[in-house]
Amino acid sequence: MDATLVKEVTEHVEELNSHVKPPVDNRMISVPGRPSDDEFIRIMAEIMGKIEGVIFKNESPRHGRGTQRYENWIVEMRMKAERENLRSWIIGCRYLVEFNAALIYYDDLRACDAILYLERKVFFEELPHTATHIEKQCVRYYKERETQLHDLCEMEDIEDIPKLVALVDCLQKCFEREPKSRGIVLTRTRAATIALQEFIRDEPRLQQFVKVDRLVGKGKVSDYGFMTEAEQQRAIRRLKQGLDGEDGCNLLVATDIAQEGLDIPTCNFVIKYNFVSNEIGAVQARGRARAAESVCYLIVQEGAKNQQREIMNQEKEKLMKEAMKRVNAIPGDDLIARIKARQIKLIEDYKEELKRKEKRRNTDAAHEVDVVCKECKRFVCYGTDLVRKGTHYICREIGRASCRERV
């Protein structure tokens, strides 16, 4: 950290609070999750179980499907498959990751949003004639149950989705309390912002007073749901205008890009939709509600990991304040000396890491390195054919690529 002091406001605190107003209501709203015998979950788990049985045989999932831990396990299995050149495992893991993501979406959103995610990410085109046997099996398992899954989407009632019921209730209260309200709904992923925007726009109870837009980070053209910088600025401008502007809006559904640095003085509520970061992010998110009498709500599932994380964040925030008091009690010269010693240690560690990276980089000459496809292990190009474009490496000899990885 390139700083010699860490300071906080200790004088004129009341005057500062008159300009920077903390939320008058900062509340966590806990709601039940989906029932354990849910039919949609049962069918998706059955499909995933069949894929697991085909590719892993003697390996069983270490964690429940539809969780981050399950995804971590699948990533471990894929890394093992890449080391041992088990192509069927690699392909099966790719499908399992997406099915797991769809189940995670289903936990927060509508069934149709989970299916739409799958269709946009996985089943958006017919398999090529070069598709492997395992790819055909994965697709067949889904297609066999596709009609049932779509029927469940048609029958689903919003009242059966506790988090969405809580979201509607929070939005109604905010806009009924102050019709000219402007707010932000924070969620975890780009795909979730699309789903929530569509839900809020189409929900009859919200149509009379909500005009919604979305705000997410930049990305590649191939990234699902990305926004250009011009689109980002337009969304921010629309919220600043509010409904008084011809093209304004009064609600943004956003990812963590809106958690810090977004300065909209008229924003008077923030709703974190099953969105929990760290203790610093919690403070930053709360700070987006800048107007007087603002509120900040967190909607989470009862007993879930995010509820526990938020409780820990609240404790860590208290510890941060206590730590600042101890830091401010250290005499000035002593504090500066400690900070400089810490900085020197960090710089030395950083230099050592650079040396280790350089040593690894020089182990093999580029012309001696063969780049192979991580799925089929066939030769793609030489190390000398790779060039860096921004944060990516591309092969100049495109014609050498022997297979493409379908995402």
Side-chain angles (χ1 to χ4, degrees), residues 41 50 86 88 101 126 133 164 182 239 242 358:
I41 295 175
K50 287 182 177 181
L86 303 172
S88 63
E126 294 295 325
H133 177 66
L164 287 180
R182 298 177 204 179
L239 184 63
E358 186 65 25

Side-chain angles (χ1 to χ4, degrees), residues 28-93:
M28 179 164 56
I29 302 170
S30 303
V31 298
R34 297 270 194 176
S36 58
D37 60 348
D38 184 277
E39 183 67 7
F40 187 94
I41 295 175
R42 187 190 68 77
I43 292 174
M44 290 285 285
E46 181 184 306
I47 295 171
M48 294 169 75
K50 287 182 177 181
I51 298 174
E52 292 162 3
V54 168
I55 62 174
F56 297 141
K57 305 217 182 321
N58 298 325
E59 294 277 356
S60 299
R62 298 176 190 170
H63 306 285
R65 302 179 185 98
T67 64
Q68 185 61 49
R69 286 186 171 184
Y70 178 89
E71 180 179 331
N72 295 341
W73 174 70
I74 290 296
V75 170
E76 288 178 14
M77 299 303 288
R78 174 161 181 156
M79 291 172 65
K80 176 182 177 182
E82 290 172 357
R83 288 193 303 268
E84 300 179 12
N85 195 20
L86 303 172
R87 191 179 182 197
S88 63
W89 282 36
I90 296 171
I91 295 170
C93 286

Side-chain angles (χ1 to χ4, degrees), residues 6 109 127 145 170 172 209 213 241 275 284 302 307 401:
V6 180
L109 305 165
L127 285 176
R145 309 306 296 271
C170 287
Q172 282 183 306
F209 43 69
D213 202 346
Q241 291 175 357
F275 176 93
Q284 291 172 330
E302 291 175 350
Q307 184 182 35

Side-chain angles (χ1 to χ4, degrees), residues 32-308:
R34 297 270 194 176
S36 58
D37 60 348
D38 184 277
E39 183 67 7
F40 187 94
I41 295 175
R42 187 190 68 77
I43 292 174
M44 290 285 285
E46 181 184 306
I47 295 171
M48 294 169 75
K50 287 182 177 181
I51 298 174
E52 292 162 3
V54 168
I55 62 174
F56 297 141
K57 305 217 182 321
N58 298 325
E59 294 277 356
S60 299
R62 298 176 190 170
H63 306 285
R65 302 179 185 98
T67 64
Q68 185 61 49
R69 286 186 171 184
Y70 178 89
E71 180 179 331
N72 295 341
W73 174 70
I74 290 296
V75 170
E76 288 178 14
M77 299 303 288
R78 174 161 181 156
M79 291 172 65
K80 176 182 177 182
E82 290 172 357
R83 288 193 303 268
E84 300 179 12
N85 195 20
L86 303 172
R87 191 179 182 197
S88 63
W89 282 36
I90 296 171
I91 295 170
C93 286
R94 190 195 325 142
Y95 279 90
L96 287 172
V97 164
E98 299 301 351
F99 276 113
N100 190 66
L103 269 181
I104 292 175
Y105 283 126
Y106 179 68
D107 195 45
D108 289 345
L109 305 165
R110 300 168 295 180
C112 62
D113 299 318
I115 293 300
L116 186 60
Y117 171 82
L118 275 180
E119 291 178 346
R120 285 174 172 170
K121 287 284 287 184
V122 184
F123 304 107
F124 59 90
E125 63 181 0
E126 294 295 325
L127 285 176
H129 70 279
T130 56
T132 63
H133 177 66
I134 186 64
E135 284 181 296
K136 293 176 181 178
Q137 281 184 297
C138 291
V139 172
R140 177 165 60 82
Y141 293 148
Y142 173 74
K143 292 297 182 181
E144 287 173 349
R145 309 306 296 271
E146 184 176 25
T147 300
Q148 288 176 276
L149 291 170
H150 278 279
D151 288 344
L152 290 171
C153 293
E154 292 294 328
M155 294 186 294
E156 188 174 49
D157 189 331
I158 297 303
E159 299 303 317
D160 297 331
I161 312 173
K163 292 191 191 78
L164 287 180
V165 172
L167 176 63
V168 171
D169 183 58
C170 287
L171 289 172
Q172 282 183 306
K173 287 180 179 178
C174 288
F175 285 103
E176 286 171 358
R177 181 173 63 90
E178 174 50 68
K180 292 188 176 181
S181 288
R182 298 177 204 179
I184 300 170
V185 174
L186 290 171
T187 189
R188 291 179 290 179
T189 65
R190 295 170 179 173
T193 63
I194 295 174
L196 286 175
Q197 181 188 25
E198 292 174 352
F199 166 74
I200 292 169
R201 185 183 59 213
D202 298 337
E203 171 56 41
R205 289 169 290 183
L206 301 177
Q207 287 177 341
Q208 59 179 319
F209 43 69
V210 178
K211 195 170 182 180
V212 60
D213 202 346
R214 55 188 288 271
L215 178 66
V216 300
K218 294 181 285 187
K220 304 188 297 292
V221 175
S222 59
D223 289 344
Y224 176 54
F226 87 103
M227 296 180 76
T228 64
E229 185 173 353
E231 289 171 329
Q232 291 173 341
Q233 294 302 321
R234 177 178 177 272
I236 295 170
R237 186 169 61 251
R238 291 189 69 201
L239 184 63
K240 288 182 176 180
Q241 291 175 357
L243 296 188
D244 295 333
E246 184 177 343
D247 188 39
C249 69
N250 55 4
L251 181 66
L252 278 185
V253 180
T255 55
D256 58 357
I257 188 177
Q259 188 171 244
E260 59 176 293
L262 192 61
D263 185 15
I264 300 178
T266 52
C267 178
N268 65 338
F269 72 86
V270 172
I271 300 173
K272 297 186 288 183
Y273 188 77
N274 203 20
F275 176 93
V276 178
S277 54
N278 55 25
E279 67 278 12
I280 297 173
V283 175
Q284 291 172 330
R286 195 163 63 237
R288 296 315 101 211
R290 309 295 290 272
E293 303 296 312
S294 61
V295 296
C296 182
Y297 299 132
L298 167 63
I299 300 172
V300 292
Q301 182 175 317
E302 291 175 350
K305 187 176 180 180
N306 272 350
Q307 184 182 35
Q308 300 305 316

